[in-house]
Amino acid sequence: QDLRIGLIGAGKMGADHAVRIHERISGARLVAVGDPDVDRARQVADGAAARAEHDPFAVIDASDVDALVIASPGVVHEPLLLAAIERGVPVLCEKPLTPDSKSSLRVVEAEEARGKHLVQVGFMRRFDPEYVELKRMLDAGDLGRALLLHCVHRNASTPPGFTSQMMIFDSVVHEFDTARWLLDQEIAAVSVRWPRSSAAAPEGLIDPQVVTVETTGGVLVDVEIFVNCGFGYQVRCEAVGEHGTALVGADSGPVVHHGGRWGGNVTADFRDRFGTAFDQEFQRWAGAARQGGVDPAAAGAWDGYAAAAACEAGVLAQTTGARTEVELADRPGFYA
Ligand code: ISE
């Protein structure tokens, strides 16, 4: 029997996931879409032959919903997650788990008290074929011990209201998770510096910035975050090991020679760059959720909490200009 999915949040990401579930994920179908903007919910639901609700909790409580996708803004995640955990339904929650570490820890504690892994966080890079291969190489020791990660994270432009802090907890949060996952280490400290801002940066936004991460195992990670680069969406990560290097996100695809020039295309945004990763993430999650659980390869609630703690240190480092250590609770055995 198909997994019956309820989707909460009918914005850009929710709309993309509705199409994904409807058109590309097998063994699953969308039954309900909840958004306080019910017209928006209806638009998204109509395309997937689902019903629309204006109250997200009506979706969580519906008897015909086996599993949930949360794609609403991070600030409203906590009560939704707590309700889903209480009902005992598996949930794939878009990043961030919640916007701050205290509330993320409450989610972790609620899940632990329930005694069952139900929460998966949408850090989709863990499903990108190139990142998966890099992870395999690092785990196998092909490059020797990892020493450095050089990361580049560029967006074409920012939506109105995007702040310098959001560059950390909305964007660099991906590198925090990627570094933790690739290296199997926690983030120990974060520093932030920046050059003069691009003229394309909206008033008040410091863009680009360079975030430096120290891990508990002594690896140094540098991240260029540049969210108004103008030319497209680009995410790269070069791992430097004792015996070699490996680069993820080198431009690939058809190389075109035309009109006296040669080159290729840059993806426009994360939906194209990570489309395959999102599909893979959802297909695997649907399989695990049919058994009532989550995909062990995915980020769980603890990973969402650890990323939130790193973001807090990052935002503090940005404000004070000082190297800032990450404060992390002890990891419960439940999340070993
Ligand atoms: C956005 O929310 C994402 O998750 C994208 O992957 C990231 O590149 C972008 O900077 C964020 O705003």
Side-chain angles (χ1 to χ4, degrees):
Q1 196 202 326
D2 277 355
L3 180 79
R4 298 165 302 174
I5 300 176
L7 167 69
I8 296 174
K12 184 171 161 181
M13 213 59 246
D16 197 49
H17 288 330
V19 173
R20 168 166 295 106
I21 295 163
H22 189 55
E23 294 181 357
R24 296 197 289 284
I25 305 305
S26 58
R29 68 192 156 88
L30 197 62
V31 292
V33 179
D35 195 298
D37 181 343
V38 76
D39 291 334
R40 199 162 74 159
R42 194 164 295 120
Q43 250 178 21
V44 169
D46 280 354
R51 67 174 181 277
E53 303 274 5
H54 83 276
D55 178 8
F57 290 94
V59 176
I60 301 178
D61 292 334
S63 59
D64 65 345
V65 166
D66 306 317
L68 289 163
V69 171
I70 299 181
S72 47
V75 284
V76 303
H77 286 183
E78 185 187 358
L80 301 171
L81 285 163
L82 295 178
I85 291 170
E86 198 181 316
R87 228 206 98 191
V89 285
V91 31
L92 198 173
C93 180
E94 262 308 331
K95 40 88 26 188
L97 181 64
T98 69
D100 62 275
S101 68
K102 278 207 182 80
S103 53
S104 284
L105 194 57
R106 286 195 291 269
V107 173
V108 162
E109 285 163 357
E111 189 186 50
E112 193 189 359
R114 192 73 171 65
K116 195 167 167 15
H117 293 278
L118 293 166
V119 177
Q120 176 169 328
V121 187
F123 285 123
M124 75 295 191
R125 291 188 192 176
R126 294 184 180 217
F127 298 91
D128 176 71
E130 280 190 77
Y131 271 98
V132 169
E133 175 57 10
L134 176 59
K135 168 80 172 151
R136 190 202 60 72
M137 291 172 79
L138 288 169
D139 285 351
D142 293 358
L143 307 175
R145 281 191 317 158
L147 305 172
L148 298 164
L149 298 179
H150 301 298
C151 306
V152 168
H153 185 164
R154 299 184 181 130
N155 295 176
S157 61
T158 44
F162 203 87
T163 64
S164 293
Q165 289 81 0
M166 287 171 78
M167 289 169 69
I168 305 287
F169 62 74
D170 203 57
S171 304
V172 180
V173 65
H174 283 290
E175 273 76 17
F176 290 145
D177 181 68
T178 307
R180 292 183 63 255
W181 169 68
L182 285 176
L183 302 167
D184 271 323
Q185 294 171 23
E186 288 298 351
I187 310 248
V190 185
S191 312
V192 185
R193 300 188 66 198
W194 50 86
R196 64 181 175 185
S197 268
S198 162
E203 178 85 31
L205 198 71
I206 303 168
D207 191 25
Q209 300 180 33
V210 178
V211 179
T212 309
V213 169
E214 298 161 50
T215 70
T216 47
V219 176
L220 207 56
V221 182
D222 56 85
V223 184
E224 173 203 311
I225 178 69
F226 189 10
V227 291
N228 287 277
C229 78
F231 63 79
Y233 189 85
Q234 196 169 49
V235 168
R236 290 186 183 159
C237 173
E238 184 184 28
V240 178
E242 286 168 320
H243 310 312
T245 69
L247 173 64
V248 164
D251 298 312
S252 60
V255 176
V256 180
H257 293 74
H258 179 73
R261 301 176 68 84
W262 67 268
N265 294 319
V266 183
T267 47
D269 77 6
F270 52 91
R271 290 170 300 183
D272 334 316
R273 167 64 179 84
F274 288 109
T276 306
F278 280 122
D279 286 355
Q280 186 70 9
E281 175 187 53
F282 269 66
Q283 189 61 67
R284 291 188 52 131
W285 172 72
R290 260 207 310 271
Q291 313 298 319
V294 291
D295 176 6
W302 177 263
D303 301 301
Y305 160 69
C311 288
E312 258 166 35
V315 170
L316 198 60
Q318 197 184 43
T319 319
T320 60
R323 170 185 179 278
T324 305
E325 292 186 0
V326 178
E327 280 180 45
L328 207 62
D330 289 335
R331 189 173 178 140
F334 184 66
Y335 294 102

